[in-house]
């Protein structure tokens, strides 16, 4: 698809209704476990966006085509490790309207994020995304993003049960053994005997 002229700027409170409409496209993104921790699935997303726009440490970016908001991203400088002095620009909630994907909107949002990183003397940009969203993963990989850490999330109740041993755990080698028992072919002699047995 041809690239269109995309204008990227910091969002204002007047953009909140359009941003809420864009976040609706993120509600069904990811697998079931990922959607369970998706912060977009909140009733007060408009209030949270308004607070983020007003926060001095957060930059909410909006990308527009012909004055119509078609993409957004939320940027903030963070310490990815509490024991480290390094800071990165974390980019999250990147969303592009379905009608405007593959037209340079994502590139424009990331270009604006790079400008913010440069202004803040940050050497790295980090992207938050769900591992099941493979198209986005490939898009970021082509731009030079590489996985550094893997964050796994578990519900507290499930984790507590597993740690106390209330839930029986099935080992991988047990599963493999069971599967091979089920799929093991019948020896030829037993198969012949079964087919020749008289039927009552």
């Amino acid at each position: 698809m041809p690239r269109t002229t995309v204008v990227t700027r910091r969002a204002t409170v007047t953009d909140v209704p359009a941003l809420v409409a864009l976040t609706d496209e993120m509600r069904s993104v990811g697998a079931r476990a990922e959607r369970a921790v998706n912060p977009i699935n909140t009733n007060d997303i408009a209030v949270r966006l308004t607070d983020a726009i007003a926060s001095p440490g957060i930059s909410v970016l909006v990308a527009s085509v012909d004055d119509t908001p078609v993409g957004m991203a939320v940027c903030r400088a963070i310490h990815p490790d509490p024991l480290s002095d390094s800071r990165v620009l974390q980019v999250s909630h990147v969303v592009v309207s379905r009608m405007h994907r593959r037209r340079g909107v994502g590139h424009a949002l990331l270009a604006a994020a790079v400008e913010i990183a440069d202004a803040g003397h940050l050497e790295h940009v980090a992207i938050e995304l769900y591992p099941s969203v493979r198209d986005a993963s490939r898009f970021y990989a082509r731009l030079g993003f590489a996985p550094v850490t893997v964050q796994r999330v578990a519900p507290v109740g499930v984790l507590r049960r597993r740690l106390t041993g209330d839930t029986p755990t099935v080992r991988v080698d047990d599963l493999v053994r069971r599967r091979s028992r089920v799929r093991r072919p019948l020896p030829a002699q037993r198969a012949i005997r079964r087919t020749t047995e008289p039927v009552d």
Side-chain angles (χ1 to χ4, degrees), residues 24-40:
D24 282 342
E25 298 199 22
M26 298 179 68
R27 292 182 190 276
S28 60
V29 171
R32 186 174 66 178
E34 295 164 343
R35 288 198 300 271
V37 295
N38 188 346
I40 294 299

Side-chain angles (χ1 to χ4, degrees), residues 39-55:
I40 294 299
N41 291 322
T42 57
N43 295 326
D44 61 343
I45 190 64
V47 174
R48 295 184 187 215
L49 281 166
T50 302
D51 291 345
I53 290 168
S55 173

Side-chain angles (χ1 to χ4, degrees), residues 78-154:
I78 64 164
H79 289 279
D81 181 343
L83 304 182
S84 170
D85 287 334
S86 67
R87 290 166 70 235
V88 302
L89 185 74
Q90 181 190 55
V91 183
S92 59
H93 307 302
V94 180
V95 59
V96 176
S97 168
R98 287 185 184 88
M99 299 294 293
H100 289 84
R101 289 177 188 166
R102 301 183 186 276
R103 297 188 182 184
V105 178
H107 280 84
L109 288 167
L110 287 176
V114 168
E115 295 299 323
I116 294 171
D118 279 341
H121 306 289
L122 305 173
E123 295 185 1
H124 294 88
V125 175
I127 291 286
E128 276 191 357
L129 73 158
Y130 296 138
S132 66
V133 186
R134 295 179 183 173
D135 287 344
S137 266
R138 286 191 286 267
F139 169 74
Y140 294 123
R142 286 194 299 270
L143 291 173
F145 287 91
V148 175
T149 61
V150 176
Q151 183 180 36
R152 292 179 177 269
V153 178

